[in-house]
Amino acid sequence: MLSIFKRSNQTSERQLRKYRKIVQQINKLEPTYEVMSDKQLTNMTEIFKERIQSGESIHSITPDAFAVVREASKRVLEMRHFDVQLIGGLVLTEGNIAEMPTGEGKTLVASLPSYVRALEGKGVHVITVNDYLAKRDYEQIGQIHRFLGLTVGLNLPMMQVHEKQAAYHADITYGVGTEFGFDYLRDNMAHQMTEHVQRPYHFAIIDEVDSILVDEAKTPLIVAGKMQADADLHLIAARLAKRFKKGIDFDFDDETKATSLTDTGIEKVEKSFGIDNLYDLEHQTLYHYVIQAVRAYVIFERDVDYIVRDEKIELVDMFTGRIMEGRTLSDGLHQAIEAKEGLPITEENKAQAQITIQNYFRMYPQLCGMTGTAKTQEKEFNEVYGMTVIQIPTNRPTLRVDSSDKVYKTIDQKYKAMAQEVAERNKKGQPVLVGTTSILQSEKVAKYLNQHKLNFNLLNAKSVEQEVELISQAGQLGQITVATNMAGRGTDIVLGEGVEALGGLFVLGTEKHESRRIDNQLRGRSGRQGDHGESRFFLSLEDDMFKRFAKDDLEKFLKKVTANEDGLVTNPEVDELTERTQRIVEGAHYSMREYNLKLDDVISDQRKVVYSLRDKVIEHDGILEQLKTMLAETVEFVIYDSCAEEDTPSNWDFERIERTINDLLLEPVSLPTTLEKTADILNLYKTSLDDLFTFIDSFEDDEQVNQMLPQAMLSYIDVMWTKHLEVMTRLKEGIGLRSYGQEDPMRIYQREGLELFGRNYQKLRRNIASEVIGFMKLIAQQKEAQQ
Ligand code: ADP
Ligand code: MG
């Protein structure tokens, strides 16, 4: 164990040497820029830009550029980048991840790479975890860049199109990752170029990169349209699902969340709806409702994943414990939960566009990130994004003490000990931050603290501003704060007077998280910038983690467990059990993300095809040529599809070919059923197709066609894509059903997904071709009549 850590640190040390040399260079340049006037300093930006234009590399101007940013920062913010901050900046400029603990000043670090990469004039995106921080960084760090003559923009939800365009046009744009992703989706739903807000991607810096790319990556971004839901069906399905038992009526895979009904379950559904065969195509919707109802029970827990407020389901962000305002689950799942809770059923969301955060950020040619906790996730960052994690030394030595876990036999003993500990610390005046993993757990903690009549702040379902306010107070004398682990991430916890002498902030964890990384985030709340501090986790053998992931191990362990009178486990092997179990949890989550990413890759490839077609249409880029290609491909497809190679030509579907193609042509062509080669059939239509192409070309300058054509194409594309997304969701649900066979469900999904797309995309081309040709014929007739 230890040797692995050592080795990874050594690699970093070797890599750091390279950066230290550049830092020396930058430090040597300081006197040169110190003597420059403000105007001269600002002027450097133009000089750098010219050097890049004339072919100089980013790498070669970096030392000077960093020295200029540092000098500007000294003048406008009175902050001089520490050497370690320069190292962080170098790591980011190269497109890697800088691991720097909380309080090391990552916001200021980002001022360096954002400046350098903005010199290329293609726009740099700085991604923060919430709007509050985006605004703060835009206002603070933006001063440095504006001073140096760059433009800085802020991208917020609810902005008007022209405001967003201005924000994206800036050299550096601040905002939250999800909003950038939504802008991408909305740009790809726009009907006019003038509605586009984004430019091509260039470089993004992601703050708290692990939380954005790993933790929040679970829920895809979905732009949805509304659709009336069938309330009765939802209610019946909910009633059924309530009585269903896992392993008897349905199977559920903890890892992939795949849900499927067993034969017993299917029989019950068939009985209560009075149908013969649930697998029939006509009952597909019904099946879907039942599956969603089951998922509403097994995946979603009240007061953990959602709360009920004002007769509405409000989703809870697992990591912050914060209400996700306005976010709803799509595809009937939200309504299934409403039915489960006996609430009024709202309208369903139908996905019109969707993307995962991972796939959004993978579109940037270069990406980099910073966080206090990335090393434990290095493999994933490397495999998925090609980023390496470099640990940057702290500016001052870390003084926080991470004490070993206290593990109790029962949950009750754990919370009692926790409350006791908090009370003792509080008596001295030492501030305590109690970290929990859910709202439900926070409330439990609150109950036990109340028994000691302690005053504390409970950060449940608070707004971002309230969170920031309360978290920033958490280091004051005598404060007790109870919060889910991610609440107020990125907020500085400054210690109050006299707190340092009491040992700094005491962080108390009440449950291990799904990865050591998140535990470390919680610990990192304390001991910033060389402050004193302490962290310790209070656990119990009854914690979910053990029960779910270490059943056998736990049973063995319980046979030999020893404990003191408070229930504190005294066997030293308990630490090993905890560590092993958490590793299993980490592995399970990693495979789930990997699985979901693979699923999403299938859609991602298709999305690229559809969006690139859309781009061409919206840019009016050779649109008549597009139409001709669609026609030619449709003709070919119909012929090959109707003439199966394994069939004898007498069995070919000549009637279908004739009907479909004649629908497109100017004059019908009769197809002799004596032909025996597909090439001959193709040949037969050659002249007519050429005529049709000449006819199409005659509309080159026709205003009516030029206006109607792109709009019609876009509508068809969007309808097709929405429908296709729905079909793909059904397919995803369905593969759970068939995983009993020999074949890997992922492979089935990939293969059938591709087939479905091929068919739907072909249908799209035929529909567009036939609609547009019809329209052109109409115009031609009108013109003739006028003459
Ligand atoms: P992090 O994001 O790494 O947790 P922040 O960017 O929030 O840290 O910075 C923490 C605090 O340190 C802020 O108050 C910031 O102004 C201050 N700070 C950062 N860098 C410097 C510096 N070079 N000199 C002085 N103060 C700094
Ligand atoms: Mg920060």
Side-chain angles (χ1 to χ4, degrees):
M1 221 2 270
L2 212 66
S3 66
I4 297 177
F5 271 122
K6 254 195 182 147
R7 212 172 326 129
S8 73
N9 266 336
Q10 272 168 5
T11 352
S12 279
E13 197 41 57
R14 195 161 40 85
Q15 282 159 324
L16 285 177
R17 222 171 293 150
K18 169 182 99 184
Y19 297 119
R20 288 215 166 92
K21 275 202 192 115
I22 308 177
V23 168
Q24 276 174 5
Q25 254 176 291
I26 300 167
N27 287 340
K28 266 201 208 121
L29 289 165
E30 194 162 4
T32 316
Y33 294 111
E34 226 164 20
V35 296
M36 280 191 177
S37 69
D38 285 1
K39 202 159 169 248
Q40 280 173 315
L41 203 59
T42 303
N43 200 34
M44 286 310 297
T45 300
E46 274 317 306
I47 295 173
F48 291 141
K49 278 187 181 172
E50 277 160 25
R51 280 165 65 178
I52 287 176
Q53 292 256 301
S54 60
E56 207 174 320
S57 73
I58 290 291
H59 184 73
S60 94
I61 62 159
T62 294
D64 280 289
F66 272 36
V68 164
V69 174
R70 187 195 245 175
E71 187 55 36
S73 170
K74 276 156 66 181
R75 294 188 194 181
V76 294
L77 298 182
E78 288 171 10
M79 282 200 276
R80 178 180 176 275
H81 296 72
F82 306 127
D83 284 1
V84 287
Q85 287 178 316
L86 296 179
I87 298 182
L90 291 170
V91 169
L92 296 177
T93 308
E94 282 178 351
N96 286 317
I97 292 178
E99 186 182 271
M100 305 177 75
T102 357
E104 286 296 301
K106 290 186 283 292
T107 315
L108 187 63
V109 171
S111 65
L112 301 158
S114 53
Y115 175 76
V116 177
R117 299 301 309 246
L119 294 170
E120 290 161 280
K122 297 176 192 164
V124 168
H125 295 171
V126 184
I127 309 298
T128 57
V129 280
N130 60 50
D131 292 328
Y132 173 86
L133 293 175
K135 196 157 172 282
R136 183 197 73 180
D137 295 356
Y138 156 81
E139 279 165 3
Q140 193 197 23
I141 302 301
Q143 291 176 49
I144 303 177
H145 297 129
R146 275 188 289 262
F147 174 86
L148 289 172
L150 294 180
T151 51
V152 187
L154 178 63
N155 176 33
L156 293 176
M158 313 306 287
M159 272 184 168
Q160 304 281 321
V161 167
H162 69 272
E163 293 172 299
K164 276 186 174 281
Q165 282 168 337
Y168 278 112
H169 196 72
D171 290 311
I172 299 166
T173 311
Y174 285 86
V176 174
T178 46
E179 189 58 19
F180 283 74
F182 279 129
D183 284 334
Y184 166 71
L185 294 177
R186 283 188 292 251
D187 270 4
N188 280 292
M189 295 170 74
H191 273 227
Q192 310 283 346
M193 280 285 272
T194 51
E195 295 165 26
H196 277 195
V197 299
Q198 292 190 334
R199 293 195 272 164
Y201 304 120
H202 170 52
F203 188 74
I205 302 167
I206 307 181
D207 190 13
E208 307 289 357
V209 63
D210 54 331
S211 95
I212 306 241
L213 292 185
V214 179
D215 301 331
E216 294 197 353
K218 270 173 228 162
T219 28
L221 309 175
I222 296 175
V223 177
K226 295 283 181 202
M227 200 186 70
Q228 196 58 51
D230 191 329
D232 290 341
L233 267 186
H234 274 302
L235 289 174
I236 300 172
R239 230 173 289 147
L240 261 174
K242 193 175 179 180
R243 280 179 279 130
F244 274 11
K245 290 199 173 57
K246 185 171 156 182
I248 298 174
D249 301 299
F250 66 91
D251 289 317
F252 177 73
D253 187 334
D254 276 319
E255 215 167 277
T256 61
K257 308 260 186 268
T259 317
S260 58
L261 299 183
T262 62
D263 288 345
T264 317
I266 287 167
E267 245 170 65
K268 283 189 190 165
V269 177
E270 287 168 351
K271 236 188 239 151
S272 36
F273 286 96
I275 55 172
D276 292 337
N277 186 1
L278 185 60
Y279 287 116
D280 276 353
L281 216 55
E282 56 173 322
H283 300 312
Q284 210 190 10
T285 324
L286 186 55
Y287 180 79
H288 171 69
Y289 275 76
V290 177
I291 287 288
Q292 295 299 55
V294 172
R295 298 176 75 207
Y297 274 96
V298 289
I299 306 178
F300 294 89
E301 196 182 333
R302 184 168 173 165
D303 291 334
V304 175
D305 303 292
Y306 65 89
I307 59 166
V308 176
R309 194 154 67 182
D310 302 334
E311 297 235 294
K312 274 201 274 283
I313 300 291
E314 306 211 51
L315 298 176
V316 173
D317 183 333
M318 243 185 85
F319 290 94
T320 57
R322 192 184 297 147
I323 300 295
M324 299 197 276
E325 297 291 346
R327 284 278 268 278
T328 57
L329 297 159
S330 65
D331 221 31
L333 195 51
H334 209 83
Q335 289 66 32
I337 301 175
E338 288 168 344
K340 164 185 161 188
E341 297 291 347
L343 303 172
I345 308 288
T346 56
E347 285 184 319
E348 257 178 48
N349 277 334
K350 200 170 179 159
Q352 290 175 330
Q354 68 178 65
I355 192 167
T356 56
I357 274 284
Q358 282 128 319
N359 269 323
Y360 172 73
F361 280 112
R362 285 207 287 186
M363 293 192 294
Y364 285 73
Q366 278 231 60
L367 208 56
C368 67
M370 40 192 199
T371 172
T373 46
K375 201 71 189 171
T376 53
Q377 217 90 29
E378 179 163 34
K379 184 167 159 262
E380 187 167 345
F381 283 123
N382 214 317
E383 279 170 8
V384 183
Y385 306 96
M387 293 190 281
T388 306
V389 179
I390 314 260
Q391 289 174 312
I392 317 284
T394 51
N395 187 45
R396 286 191 226 153
T398 315
L399 293 182
R400 188 185 67 235
V401 179
D402 295 326
S403 306
S404 58
D405 305 338
K406 283 192 166 181
V407 187
Y408 293 84
K409 278 174 78 175
T410 69
I411 285 203
D412 180 56
Q413 289 163 339
K414 164 173 98 171
Y415 285 124
K416 277 196 177 127
M418 176 277 307
Q420 186 63 39
E421 179 85 32
V422 175
E424 279 166 23
R425 304 264 176 173
N426 182 253
K427 221 170 175 178
K428 295 194 295 177
Q430 186 179 19
V432 184
L433 175 68
V434 183
T436 67
T437 54
S438 68
I439 293 183
L440 201 64
Q441 215 204 350
S442 290
E443 269 158 17
K444 244 193 186 147
V445 167
K447 213 180 76 191
Y448 282 86
L449 292 181
N450 277 329
Q451 288 169 3
H452 284 262
K453 305 226 171 350
L454 293 167
N455 276 326
F456 55 90
N457 279 321
L458 185 62
L459 259 77
N460 266 0
K462 294 276 195 296
S463 71
V464 178
E465 286 77 11
Q466 290 169 312
E467 253 177 31
V468 168
E469 172 62 28
L470 289 173
I471 282 284
S472 65
Q473 296 303 313
Q476 299 302 309
L477 206 65
Q479 281 285 333
I480 301 172
T481 313
V482 181
T484 48
N485 70 70
M486 283 286 295
R489 198 170 174 188
T491 315
D492 221 7
I493 303 184
V494 181
L495 297 185
E497 274 230 4
V499 170
E500 186 72 29
L502 295 170
L505 176 67
F506 179 61
V507 167
L508 194 158
T510 49
E511 211 170 80
K512 285 281 164 118
H513 298 99
E514 63 185 50
S515 78
R516 284 164 294 158
R517 183 176 50 77
I518 304 177
D519 295 343
N520 292 341
Q521 281 169 15
L522 181 62
R523 293 190 200 274
R525 288 332 248 332
S526 156
R528 318 176 74 156
Q529 305 170 28
D531 282 349
H532 278 94
E534 185 183 344
S535 76
R536 171 166 257 162
F537 277 81
F538 281 58
L539 312 174
S540 93
L541 294 174
E542 289 178 344
D543 285 356
D544 252 10
M545 177 177 89
F546 293 115
K547 281 196 295 194
R548 282 183 57 199
F549 292 92
K551 242 184 180 162
D552 297 344
D553 272 4
L554 188 62
E555 248 169 59
K556 264 187 240 150
F557 185 78
L558 284 175
K559 283 190 190 127
K560 57 178 179 189
V561 70
T562 52
N564 72 7
E565 67 273 21
D566 297 329
L568 178 68
V569 176
T570 48
N571 314 50
E573 312 94 274
V574 72
D575 289 337
E576 211 181 284
L577 176 72
T578 310
E579 205 173 289
R580 198 167 51 235
T581 310
Q582 201 173 22
R583 253 168 231 283
I584 297 171
V585 182
E586 281 176 6
H589 281 272
Y590 179 60
S591 11
M592 186 169 129
R593 280 193 300 275
E594 214 180 14
Y595 179 84
N596 282 334
L597 200 61
K598 268 194 198 162
L599 286 176
D600 192 54
D601 279 345
V602 176
I603 293 202
S604 175
D605 291 341
Q606 304 174 350
R607 180 174 43 235
K608 280 182 198 143
V609 173
V610 171
Y611 283 2
S612 95
L613 174 64
R614 242 188 151 274
D615 279 347
K616 287 196 187 112
V617 172
I618 216 165
E619 285 161 20
H620 294 222
D621 178 7
I623 204 158
L624 290 184
E625 289 307 313
Q626 285 284 340
L627 179 64
K628 285 194 253 175
T629 314
M630 287 182 184
L631 267 169
E633 281 171 354
T634 300
V635 168
E636 262 181 47
F637 177 84
V638 173
I639 293 174
Y640 287 116
D641 199 48
S642 312
C643 306
E645 257 178 61
E646 61 273 17
D647 269 350
T648 53
S650 60
N651 281 332
W652 287 354
D653 197 346
F654 287 97
E655 197 270 332
R656 175 175 169 227
I657 302 176
E658 198 176 69
R659 181 167 35 84
T660 317
I661 300 182
N662 277 343
D663 176 44
L664 301 169
L665 298 179
L666 296 173
E667 303 284 342
V669 174
S670 74
L671 176 65
T673 54
T674 50
L675 293 178
E676 292 187 348
K677 282 194 196 127
T678 45
D680 292 342
I681 304 181
L682 266 171
N683 250 332
L684 181 81
Y685 287 109
K686 195 171 175 313
T687 331
S688 314
L689 260 186
D690 283 342
D691 289 347
L692 188 58
F693 286 178
T694 317
F695 174 71
I696 290 173
D697 284 335
S698 73
F699 288 92
E700 176 97 50
D701 301 316
D702 188 290
E703 214 158 280
Q704 248 179 313
V705 167
N706 277 326
Q707 265 184 15
M708 175 271 184
L709 192 53
Q711 293 313 317
M713 281 188 171
L714 292 177
S715 309
Y716 272 106
I717 295 170
D718 293 346
V719 169
M720 173 265 175
W721 185 236
T722 307
K723 273 194 190 155
H724 181 69
L725 283 178
E726 194 180 344
V727 174
M728 290 298 284
T729 309
R730 296 283 176 282
L731 179 65
K732 205 179 330 184
E733 290 170 4
I735 55 171
L737 257 182
R738 277 175 289 170
S739 61
Y740 304 111
Q742 298 292 320
E743 209 177 340
D744 172 15
M746 181 63 75
R747 281 253 287 287
I748 303 183
Y749 179 74
Q750 285 164 340
R751 194 190 55 234
E752 296 196 8
L754 192 68
E755 253 172 53
L756 276 172
F757 183 73
R759 229 178 300 144
N760 287 336
Y761 198 59
Q762 181 46 44
K763 214 194 283 168
L764 168 72
R765 284 182 289 197
R766 196 183 75 202
N767 287 343
I768 290 179
S770 126
E771 159 103 11
V772 175
I773 298 289
F775 183 67
M776 285 177 166
K777 285 179 190 167
L778 212 67
I779 296 182
Q781 274 171 14
Q782 280 172 357
K783 276 191 188 153
E784 222 162 86
Q786 276 167 12
Q787 277 163 9

